[in-house]
Amino acid sequence: MDRISWDQYFMAQSHLLALRSTCTRLAVGATIVRQKRIIAGGYNGSIAGGTHCADEGCYVIDEHCVRTIHAEMNALLQCAKFGVPTEGAEIYVTHFPCLQCSKAIIQSGIKKLYYSENYKNHPYAIELFNQADVEVKQVKFNAESLEPLVSHTVPGSQ
């Protein structure tokens, strides 16, 4: 049986998380992984119980929606909330992180960043990742590559 790579598996998780996004400008998902195990996931959306962009539109200041918490930050905050260490972990994100999320990723001790799509890749974020020895790698995600696996019939399930 053919299996997808770990990178494609975790990137698929991030793309699945992005489907929960409530931001109408860009749906983003993030998955934090340590030792090939998912420890947290997040998507961009409003604070718990808050008004969502999908309901009332984005609240844009200086070209950024300030209503949402970014996917990377939501995943990092989930780890903080439940006491899950991120030192030495990896993060898979559907889009290159913004500058603020890049700094939070570095500060959290994450050592590898995998992203699927370029998105306003800030030169200073790239510089900071280099300074902090965070490995940055683009992993293009191809949803069509999952179709043969999804349609695969499990023996005895008919």
Side-chain angles (χ1 to χ4, degrees):
M1 176 174 99
D2 291 335
R3 298 193 310 168
I4 62 173
S5 70
W6 284 113
D7 285 348
Q8 285 296 308
Y9 172 74
F10 294 127
M11 194 57 75
Q13 295 294 325
S14 295
H15 280 271
L16 186 61
L17 282 161
L19 296 175
R20 290 280 308 154
S21 172
T22 59
C23 183
T24 56
R25 294 180 62 181
L26 183 67
V28 178
T31 305
I32 301 177
V33 175
R34 190 176 50 248
Q35 298 175 352
K36 304 285 187 250
R37 300 290 181 261
I38 296 171
I39 60 173
Y43 53 88
N44 56 332
S46 301
I47 61 168
T51 302
H52 296 285
C53 299
D55 298 328
E56 293 189 15
C58 292
Y59 183 7
V60 179
I61 298 176
D62 295 330
E63 300 181 32
H64 293 338
C65 179
V66 297
R67 188 182 307 276
T68 62
I69 301 171
H70 290 185
E72 305 92 327
M73 197 63 71
N74 261 330
L76 289 169
L77 290 170
Q78 187 180 81
C79 287
K81 184 176 183 177
F82 295 107
V84 178
T86 54
E87 184 71 34
E90 304 172 356
I91 189 166
Y92 290 79
V93 189
T94 58
H95 296 77
F96 192 88
C98 73
L99 181 57
Q100 297 304 320
C101 286
S102 295
K103 291 189 286 186
I105 288 166
I106 292 165
Q107 201 68 7
S108 74
I110 288 175
K111 287 299 178 187
K112 292 182 181 178
L113 162 70
Y114 302 95
Y115 69 97
S116 182
E117 299 298 323
N118 289 310
Y119 184 74
K120 301 179 182 179
N121 301 27
H122 198 289
Y124 188 53
I126 296 166
E127 181 182 331
L128 290 174
F129 284 130
N130 286 332
Q131 287 176 10
D133 290 324
V134 173
E135 181 182 326
V136 178
K137 179 181 174 187
Q138 186 172 23
V139 175
K140 286 286 196 177
F141 178 66
N142 181 1
E144 289 81 30
S145 68
L146 299 180
E147 287 185 26
L149 300 173
V150 173
S151 64
H152 176 72
T153 304
V154 177
S157 65
Q158 297 181 27

